Amino acid sequence: SSSLFIKQSNDENLIPIEEIDVSDMITPNLESMQNHSHGKGYYGEQMVYRYLQKKYSSKPGVSVKWLNQDDESHFPHDIELIKDKKQYYIEVKSTEINDNHMFQLSFSQIAAILEHNTYYSIYRVYINAKKLCVLNNIRQRLNKEELSCTMTINIR
């Protein structure tokens, strides 16, 4: 079991990046996940959806909608959360490797981060470790160097 070392900024306006243990929740059987057509992305989304349902189950006026539950929606986010009459957009990035902290973003996901700013979060799911890492205020965290971007040249 590994723990993340996350560089936190001194900005008191930014809530520290959360690492959440979800081992008490139902998690997928990894063998069936690998043989299933949906794969790890689907199961990561399922873990986040269940986590959010549990977290907000007793809160009136909160709704959680999993956009890819039946079919891939092709939206730049996987889950929509309505809380305090505000809509939040959640993208889920899943990995089976506990120390894999890198993931790809599509152009539409980058555009959504810039457009929705504080209302767009990425939940990094570490399936084997049964942990979630919540990345919110992404634009500000990039500016404060808590997060960084890399580019890959795709040679065809």
Side-chain angles (χ1 to χ4, degrees):
S1 165
S2 69
S3 183
L4 297 175
F5 173 78
I6 301 168
K7 177 185 174 189
Q8 301 290 349
S9 77
N10 295 328
D11 188 338
E12 58 275 349
N13 296 322
L14 285 177
I15 298 169
I17 294 174
E18 295 178 74
E19 184 181 307
I20 302 162
D21 183 347
V22 291
S23 59
D24 62 331
M25 301 181 66
I26 300 169
T27 54
N29 174 304
L30 293 178
E31 187 175 314
S32 70
M33 177 185 67
Q34 290 166 345
N35 295 329
H36 198 278
S37 62
H38 291 299
K40 66 183 174 223
Y42 180 87
Y43 285 107
E45 290 175 21
Q46 183 181 61
M47 288 172 71
V48 172
Y49 178 68
R50 288 179 178 175
Y51 163 74
L52 292 169
Q53 281 188 312
K54 184 177 178 181
K55 179 177 180 176
Y56 294 109
S57 64
S58 64
K59 308 261 191 309
V62 175
S63 70
V64 181
K65 182 178 179 185
W66 181 12
L67 303 178
N68 301 324
Q69 191 165 10
D70 297 319
D71 290 307
E72 174 60 46
S73 68
H74 301 287
F75 283 105
H77 57 279
D78 303 308
I79 296 171
E80 293 176 354
L81 171 71
I82 297 177
K83 178 177 78 165
D84 301 325
K85 298 181 182 174
K86 294 179 184 131
Q87 185 160 345
Y88 295 85
Y89 306 92
I90 298 167
E91 173 60 21
V92 178
K93 297 293 185 182
S94 306
T95 182
E96 297 173 56
I97 303 167
N98 297 347
D99 62 352
N100 181 7
H101 309 305
M102 292 184 7
F103 49 85
Q104 291 185 333
L105 292 173
S106 68
F107 181 80
S108 61
Q109 289 166 340
I110 293 168
I113 289 168
L114 297 174
E115 178 184 349
H116 300 298
N117 200 6
T118 58
Y119 299 102
Y120 191 97
S121 298
I122 297 173
Y123 280 56
R124 179 59 161 168
V125 177
Y126 299 92
I127 294 171
N128 290 339
K130 299 176 183 157
K131 292 189 180 198
L132 309 174
C133 187
V134 181
L135 306 173
N136 55 16
N137 296 305
I138 296 166
R139 195 172 174 170
Q140 292 88 333
R141 292 184 193 285
L142 285 165
N143 190 41
K144 299 289 184 184
E145 297 181 357
E146 288 184 26
L147 299 173
S148 62
C149 289
T150 60
M151 298 275 174
T152 301
I153 299 171
N154 294 321
I155 300 174
R156 302 195 194 269

